[in-house]
Amino acid sequence: MQQPPMQARPTGITILAALAAIGGVLGLCGSLALIGLGGVLGGVAASVGGAAVGVAAGGLAVIFGLVALGVSVLDLAFAYGAWNLKPWAWTLGVVAQGISLVLAVINILQGADISGQIISIAIAGIILYYLMTPEVKRAFGRA
């Protein structure tokens, strides 16, 4: 059975894949550092303020590090899938940008700097719009 010819990857997808890969690698470094820092911070805080303070301070840093690690792995998965035009990567990109929009709105409601959140909303909105274009959907086999 003959396979259909490989769809050319749109330039925008190439750029998104490269940026996701860079963000994923940098995120891995930062998240692993945060996890390690959580262990050190927990030990220092425990020696100064007691075991409960150490667990709270170190545990929180480790939790943030693990969340950042998960996001970094998703970035790398999207980069791989987008580079290779895997259909699941389109879904992952749409879901990730949707989550980014929701988090930005939550941050605004919690009193975060609105200008930074507006930039986040604009970037996520532009990426979502781009992923929804017929050319991009067709490239991912979603047409």
Side-chain angles (χ1 to χ4, degrees):
M1 189 163 124
Q2 193 177 32
Q3 286 188 328
M6 180 71 167
Q7 172 77 26
R9 183 176 49 252
T11 303
I13 293 300
T14 301
I15 293 168
L16 286 177
L19 291 174
I22 292 167
V25 169
L26 293 176
L28 280 177
C29 295
S31 62
L32 293 175
L34 191 54
I35 292 168
L37 179 66
V40 172
L41 182 62
V44 170
S47 67
V48 172
V53 173
V55 169
L60 196 56
V62 170
I63 289 170
F64 286 141
L66 290 172
V67 169
L69 181 65
V71 170
S72 300
V73 169
L74 289 177
D75 280 344
L76 291 172
F78 174 75
Y80 169 80
W83 189 266
N84 294 297
L85 296 176
K86 302 290 184 187
W88 54 262
W90 181 86
T91 304
L92 181 59
V94 169
V95 169
Q97 296 312 310
I99 291 170
S100 180
L101 285 172
V102 169
L103 290 176
V105 170
I106 290 171
N107 286 336
I108 289 172
L109 294 175
Q110 290 181 341
D113 176 38
I114 196 163
S115 60
Q117 299 309 312
I118 288 174
I119 291 170
S120 295
I121 289 169
I123 290 170
I126 290 167
I127 292 172
L128 269 174
Y129 173 80
Y130 180 70
L131 288 173
M132 296 295 178
T133 60
E135 176 191 7
V136 171
K137 288 175 81 171
R138 194 170 28 258
F140 280 105
R142 295 283 180 166

